[in-house]
Amino acid sequence: MNSTRDIEALIDAMAKLPGLGPRSARRAVLHLIRKRALLMQPLADLMGQVATTARECLNCGNVGTTDICDICASEKRANGQICVVEDVADLWAMERGHAFKGRYHVLGGTLSALDQVGPEQLRIPRLIDRVETEQVTEVILALNATVDGQTTAHYIADQLEGRVTLTSLAQGVPIGGELDYLDDGTIAAALNARKSI
Amino acid sequence: MNSTRDIEALIDAMAKLPGLGPRSARRAVLHLIRKRALLMQPLADLMGQVATTARECLNCGNVGTTDICDICASEKRANGQICVVEDVADLWAMERGHAFKGRYHVLGGTLSALDQVGPEQLRIPRLIDRVETEQVTEVILALNATVDGQTTAHYIADQLEGRVTLTSLAQGVPIGGELDYLDDGTIAAALNARKSI
Ligand SMILES: [Zn+2]
Ligand SMILES: [Zn+2]
């Protein structure tokens, strides 16, 4: 490759982002170079801006640009519900659903004996604090349906048992989902939770 | 989504890059925010640097950080061969092959009646100039095996006929390529160009 050193370094850095590889990084960088005034400089400025201002909410672990995120700061969201998610991406997915009106707690992963992740690494003590100090009536465990996700959900449920109502998301067929494309566990769960019509 | 405005704007901008979509842009931005000091700020700086310094070579259309690119500036590459490619990405692919020792000419696309792309939009006049002014003995037409690519190759061949040796890349089975995965045209071309062993 004969692009000069900065261009190669930029391609290498982009190629390390999740979801990108060397080929898509090269295409993205060429695209940006072609539109360097219109696209690349604004993107660089925005990225520098976010790198300076982004931080994790001290209360819930959401990302934002203030010590306490917009959701935690909003009195409207103080409805007594906390939805526990593994990751900020899950929080964003919940928000796109426009159905949940409460606050969140982002664990930052799942318990994992293998990777030596214990409750302290996961903001679980902070969750227990919040249940005691905020007026929490319900904790919704919206963890992924993986072994580690469910282990973590059970651990949290044990810790909070008797203090709040504990719920989890319903399992079933996604809207528009074709049975043929669903895994067996989902079909079984949807059957077990069947409703009369 | 409740991330503050800059984070959303960054995700939107990243999602518009070729090869990325909203989902991978969100994952990439979260990854960068998690490593904002170590990854995001250096990437922003590098991108700003490239946005300022990147330019197209006035001679061949390659991208670099000087008016005349490293390849055009290198006397070692003045071996009388010019390899004509559609795009800088194709030039990079050729360079990764480490087989071509000459210079390039990047057209910046293909002739297209539909998109109203004529020879002037494609650095074709500049190619003809170069054949006359640089000591060029061979022009290798390394255009894509698409209809527009081949139309463009024929047009250039017509313009340069009689002035230099004109060649094109051999067509055949890629090394490691499985016949089952190749399109019919490639198999036919490889059969027609078969060699005795
Ligand atoms: Zn928060
Ligand atoms: Zn050049």
Side-chain angles (χ1 to χ4, degrees), chain A residues 56-62 67-73 91 104 130:
Chain A
E56 279 153 12
C57 173
L58 297 175
N59 194 43
C60 78
N62 185 17
D67 282 343
I68 299 298
C69 76
D70 298 349
I71 296 177
C72 286
L91 185 162
Y104 293 92
R130 290 184 65 190

Side-chain angles (χ1 to χ4, degrees), chain A residues 2 4 34 36 54 65 70 87, chain B residues 2 4 34 36 54 65 87:
Chain A
N2 191 273
T4 44
R34 272 187 216 110
R36 51 198 174 274
T65 53
D70 298 349
D87 199 327
Chain B
N2 191 273
T4 43
R34 270 186 218 111
R36 50 197 175 274
T65 52
D87 199 328

Side-chain angles (χ1 to χ4, degrees), chain A residues 78-95:
Chain A
N79 69 352
Q81 295 178 317
I82 290 184
C83 179
V84 178
V85 292
E86 289 177 23
D87 199 327
V88 175
D90 300 328
L91 185 162
W92 289 348
M94 289 288 299
E95 286 292 286

Side-chain angles (χ1 to χ4, degrees), chain A residues 1-7 9-11 13-14 16-20 24 26-34 36-37 39-41 43-56 62-66 69-71 77 87-92 95-96 98, chain B residues 1-7 9-11 13-14 16-20 24 26-34 36-37 39-41 43-56 62-66 69-71 77 87-92 95-96 98:
Chain A
M1 204 180 298
N2 191 273
S3 54
T4 44
R5 214 172 296 161
D6 281 349
I7 299 176
L10 180 59
I11 292 169
M14 296 281 286
K16 282 182 196 127
L17 295 179
L20 279 149
S24 41
R26 287 193 295 266
R27 287 181 58 211
V29 169
L30 269 183
H31 180 76
L32 288 169
I33 289 178
R34 272 187 216 110
R36 51 198 174 274
L39 264 185
M40 196 181 210
Q41 190 64 61
L43 180 59
D45 293 345
L46 198 52
M47 197 177 279
Q49 179 74 9
V50 172
T52 310
T53 58
R55 65 201 64 199
E56 279 153 12
N62 185 17
V63 298
T65 53
T66 44
C69 76
D70 298 349
I71 296 177
R77 305 291 298 244
D87 199 327
V88 175
D90 300 328
L91 185 162
W92 289 348
E95 286 292 286
R96 288 196 300 279
H98 295 295
Chain B
M1 205 180 297
N2 191 273
S3 53
T4 43
R5 214 171 298 161
D6 281 349
I7 299 177
L10 180 59
I11 292 169
M14 295 282 286
K16 282 182 196 127
L17 294 179
L20 279 151
S24 41
R26 286 193 296 267
R27 287 181 57 211
V29 169
L30 269 183
H31 180 75
L32 287 169
I33 289 177
R34 270 186 218 111
R36 50 197 175 274
L39 264 185
M40 197 181 209
Q41 190 63 61
L43 180 59
D45 293 344
L46 198 52
M47 197 177 279
Q49 179 73 10
V50 172
T52 310
T53 58
R55 64 201 66 199
E56 279 154 11
N62 185 15
V63 298
T65 52
T66 44
C69 77
D70 298 349
I71 296 178
R77 305 292 297 245
D87 199 328
V88 175
D90 300 327
L91 184 161
W92 289 348
E95 286 292 286
R96 288 197 299 278
H98 295 296

